[in-house]
Amino acid sequence: MTVHRRDVGEIEALITDRYLDSLLAVQPVDDDRLLGAPGFTVSAAVREISRRLSADLPRFHPSFRFEERLALRLAEVAAAMRLSVAAGGEGQPVAIRRITPVAQDPLVVLDDAELDGRVPPRPILIGGAVAASALSLAGAWLAWRRRTSPMARAVRAAHAMRQSGT
Amino acid sequence: MARRALWRVGAAKDAVPRLAHLDQDRPLVLAAQRDPARFDALYRRYLARVYSYAYYELGDHHAAEDATEATFVAALTNLSQFQERARPADGDGASTFRVWLFQIARNEIAGERRRARRRPLEPIGEMIIADPLNVEDEAVRRDQAREAWRAVGRLPGERRQAMVLRFVDELSTAEIAGVLGRSEGAVRVLIHRALRSVARDLKGGERGNGERGRTS
């Protein structure tokens, strides 16, 4: 069987790749016979440059200031994403079945025969709007309750006094 | 199509590949998809790799930071769309998250290059032949490494990217194929030719230096 020139290039590339795998695994294979392509070798020049590049090319790390700044930004993005999910921004609309005269008691299980010929209940879709409004109100209330500034404490005290009628 | 993300060296069956850390990605990705705040672990794991890739490609710390930032923000905001496509047959450590992340990084770096071309702050020639090791002279006092990087830097675009991904970021050939959108065979040939080219280049350079040394 003859090996075409193109195939030779691909086989050489393959055993070079296997050699690089072993080199990057810190266990370089120096015996070409172990690379799985008898009759083919990784040239000394390729071995030499591969060793140099794997040993000498450094991996850079950005400054810690940048790292922490980006971490903070990602945390903000994550918080915004969580909020939008909680508000139903990325959720699926919820289908709620309307109680029809067919089943006045929601706990009654109907047979298929009883449902035959009757219009199935139309689902009511509720998007994120209601949930978002409720969440906003809850958030505003919580923020008001949790504020610990002197002004907030004074406002709360005045509010409490007004409610107690003193 | 699922790709093998970890090439197993047939000859060294007992070897523990240094790339085996990939198996830790899957739980982290799932956790981050459930709760975006958990993305921090993936960010810390890949920050240096993405930044290095950007720095080697752009040759400028600020540009590399911009590309890195854009990469991680895009990854976080699109994480819900990411799907793990590695199969059990690909091995325990197989993961496509790295491939996906570096695809984003590659796009962001290309965008950064385009922006740099539109508003060049320094001569374009300087930017194209970026030499990160020059900036790190104090940290990396290795003339040979600098020469090697210069030779890598002179390679055409995809060959250079493949070399950086292979030697600096230690991606497997299959992963690089995923990042560059090429077949594994094509990437193997790309790297093999790049290595021969760099070896020739360095040999010529060293011979030239030797001759200059003799004549001076």
Side-chain angles (χ1 to χ4, degrees):
Chain A
M1 188 178 75
T2 56
V3 180
H4 295 289
R5 196 176 160 193
R6 182 167 158 267
D7 296 335
V8 170
E10 285 178 3
I11 294 170
E12 282 178 351
L14 180 67
I15 62 167
T16 300
D17 189 49
R18 288 183 179 176
Y19 172 71
L20 291 181
D21 276 332
S22 70
L23 182 69
L24 294 173
V26 207
Q27 293 190 342
V29 175
D30 290 322
D31 188 345
D32 286 326
R33 287 173 300 178
L34 295 177
L35 293 173
F40 289 89
T41 58
V42 180
S43 73
V46 168
R47 282 178 190 274
E48 168 64 19
I49 192 63
S50 300
R51 283 177 193 272
R52 269 173 75 171
L53 292 176
S54 67
D56 293 340
L57 286 184
R59 182 182 288 168
F60 295 102
H61 199 288
S63 67
F64 286 106
R65 193 175 168 189
F66 169 78
E67 180 177 353
E68 293 312 313
R69 185 173 58 79
L70 181 52
L72 193 66
R73 189 180 167 201
L74 290 172
E76 287 169 0
V77 172
M81 287 168 70
R82 289 167 80 185
L83 194 64
S84 70
V85 170
E90 292 184 0
Q92 296 295 319
V94 182
I96 300 175
R97 293 202 159 203
R98 189 173 51 180
I99 297 173
T100 64
V102 173
Q104 294 292 351
D105 183 355
L107 298 178
V108 171
V109 180
L110 297 175
D111 294 334
D112 287 345
E114 289 180 275
L115 285 168
D116 281 348
R118 293 179 183 166
V119 180
R122 185 190 301 177
I124 302 168
L125 301 181
I126 298 182
V130 174
S133 304
L135 197 78
S136 301
L137 285 171
W141 182 81
L142 198 68
W144 181 72
R145 295 289 302 169
R146 287 263 172 104
R147 286 193 62 174
T148 54
S149 70
M151 179 61 78
R153 279 199 298 273
V155 168
R156 265 208 304 278
H159 180 70
M161 284 171 66
R162 203 177 301 124
Q163 280 202 330
S164 65
T166 56
Chain B
M1 190 184 73
R3 293 176 183 281
R4 184 166 49 211
L6 183 67
W7 179 270
R8 297 195 178 282
V9 184
K13 284 179 182 164
D14 297 327
V16 179
R18 204 153 43 138
L19 309 181
H21 57 268
L22 289 178
D23 60 349
Q24 295 167 13
D25 282 351
R26 202 170 306 200
L28 291 180
V29 170
L30 290 174
Q33 283 178 327
R34 279 193 297 270
D35 178 5
R38 305 278 295 274
F39 183 75
D40 189 66
L42 288 165
Y43 161 66
R44 304 280 179 186
R45 173 173 292 174
Y46 285 112
L47 173 64
R49 293 192 182 105
V50 169
Y51 177 79
S52 289
Y53 177 39
Y55 187 39
Y56 271 101
E57 280 298 303
L58 297 167
D60 175 81
H61 275 298
H62 297 296
E65 284 182 354
D66 288 347
T68 303
E69 182 167 351
T71 299
F72 281 105
V73 170
L76 174 58
T77 50
N78 293 292
L79 193 64
S80 60
Q81 293 166 27
F82 168 73
Q83 289 181 336
E84 180 60 72
R85 291 188 181 163
R87 303 160 301 180
D90 295 329
D92 292 338
S95 166
T96 53
F97 175 75
R98 282 215 309 190
V99 174
W100 183 72
L101 185 67
F102 276 89
Q103 280 174 342
I104 296 173
R106 186 174 181 237
N107 289 338
E108 295 297 341
I109 289 166
E112 195 61 40
R113 275 182 185 280
R114 278 195 296 275
R115 281 190 288 277
R117 268 191 224 113
R118 278 202 295 272
R119 47 167 176 72
L121 299 174
E122 54 185 310
I124 285 178
E126 290 292 313
M127 283 194 294
I128 289 172
I129 309 168
D131 183 358
L133 296 182
N134 264 348
V135 186
E136 299 293 319
D137 262 355
E138 290 303 310
V140 189
R141 292 174 184 166
R142 295 174 184 164
D143 288 343
Q144 283 194 335
R146 193 179 298 120
E147 287 302 316
W149 168 243
R150 281 181 184 157
V152 171
R154 283 191 284 269
L155 292 169
E158 276 202 333
R159 281 193 195 181
R160 187 187 60 247
Q161 284 188 36
M163 293 286 275
V164 171
L165 291 171
R166 191 73 164 117
F167 284 97
V168 179
D169 291 304
E170 297 184 3
L171 264 59
S172 69
T173 307
E175 287 175 311
I176 297 169
V179 175
L180 300 183
R182 306 281 296 262
S183 71
E184 277 186 61
V187 170
R188 276 198 290 267
V189 171
L190 210 63
I191 291 174
H192 181 60
R193 287 180 182 162
L195 282 171
R196 287 201 307 198
S197 174
V198 170
R200 254 196 323 271
D201 195 347
L202 284 177
K203 204 174 172 185
E206 281 163 9
R207 197 183 301 130
N209 287 342
E211 283 165 7
R212 271 197 299 278
R214 279 197 296 276
T215 53
S216 60

